[in-house]
Amino acid sequence: MTKKIIYDLGSNNGDDIPYYLKKAELVVAVEANPSLCVDIERRFSSEIRERKLFVESCVLTPDDSKPEVFFYLHKRDHVYSQFPKPDEAIIEEFEKKLLPSKSISSLIEKYGDPYYIKIDIEHYEAAILEALFRSNIRPPFISAESHSIDVFAILVALGSYNSFKLV
C-alpha cells in the first residue's frame, strides 16, 4: 500500500499541520521564513522525532538552478512574506534576505509522491503548479491559493483534472 503523503507548501506557523497529521502517514511542511520553521520544529518536536513530519526550511522554486534566492520577509506581518520581489510601491515594507531554495520536484523525489498538496506561497502558486505538472506530478488532490485566474488556468490546461471546487 502506498503511503499517504501531504505536502504543506507555505506552512506559515504550522496551524494546518495537526489536521494533516490525522489524514496522512507523512507530512512535509515547507516554509521559507526561518523563524517560523523554528516555531514549527519546537511545536511538533515529537512528530518530527517519530518521522511523521519533516520540515523543510527553504524557498520553494520551480527548478534547482539556484541554491539560494532572495526572499522578502514582511516587516510587520509574516503572512505577507513572499519570494517574488514585491512591487516597488511597497518594497520598503519588506526585508530582503538570501535563503536556501529547493525545487518542488526535488522535494517530491526525496519524500515521495503526494496524495495532497496545499500551496499557499504568496504570489508564487502558479509557478509551482506549472513546475509540478511539467514534471508529470499530479496528486489526487490539490489546494492552491489564487490571486489571479492563472492558478485555475494552469489546473485546467496542464493539470488534467476533471473536477474542481472553487472557494
Side-chain angles (χ1 to χ4, degrees):
M1 186 170 136
T2 305
K3 184 185 285 192
K4 273 189 184 175
I5 302 171
I6 292 178
Y7 289 82
D8 184 3
L9 310 180
S11 298
N12 196 297
N13 62 7
D15 280 352
D16 293 338
I17 292 173
Y19 178 77
Y20 296 150
L21 287 166
K22 290 178 183 177
K23 297 295 182 182
E25 288 85 7
L26 176 66
V27 175
V28 179
V30 181
E31 176 55 49
N33 186 325
S35 65
L36 292 176
C37 287
V38 170
D39 292 345
I40 291 169
E41 289 167 351
R42 190 176 305 122
R43 187 173 168 194
F44 298 100
S45 60
S46 63
E47 292 83 353
I48 292 169
R49 276 193 310 278
E50 295 167 7
R51 303 181 64 78
K52 293 179 180 177
L53 172 66
F54 290 87
V55 179
E56 290 282 346
S57 181
C58 65
V59 178
L60 199 59
T61 57
D63 59 52
D64 288 315
S65 61
K66 296 178 183 175
E68 295 180 316
V69 294
F70 283 109
F71 186 74
Y72 298 85
L73 294 164
H74 197 273
K75 292 177 183 175
R76 289 186 309 280
D77 191 347
H78 62 79
V79 173
Y80 299 118
S81 299
Q82 63 184 64
F83 171 51
K85 184 178 179 181
D87 292 333
E88 288 300 322
I90 59 168
I91 193 79
E92 72 279 348
E93 297 175 23
F94 295 84
E95 174 190 346
K96 182 177 172 182
K97 188 167 184 174
L98 191 62
L99 296 174
S101 68
K102 293 184 181 175
S103 71
I104 183 60
S105 59
S106 69
L107 286 176
I108 290 172
E109 186 176 310
K110 181 177 180 179
Y111 294 106
D113 290 333
Y115 172 73
Y116 171 79
I117 293 179
K118 184 230 39 183
I119 309 172
D120 184 357
I121 46 178
E122 297 304 301
H123 308 286
Y124 212 62
E125 294 86 1
I128 297 305
L129 267 178
E130 187 171 350
L132 274 171
F133 298 151
R134 295 209 185 279
S135 297
N136 205 28
I137 300 166
R138 289 177 179 80
F141 301 98
I142 293 178
S143 172
E145 183 178 56
S146 180
H147 294 274
S148 69
I149 193 73
D150 296 348
V151 167
F152 185 68
I154 290 168
L155 285 167
V156 171
L158 300 175
S160 301
Y161 293 94
N162 57 18
S163 63
F164 301 90
K165 181 177 181 180
L166 299 175
V167 180

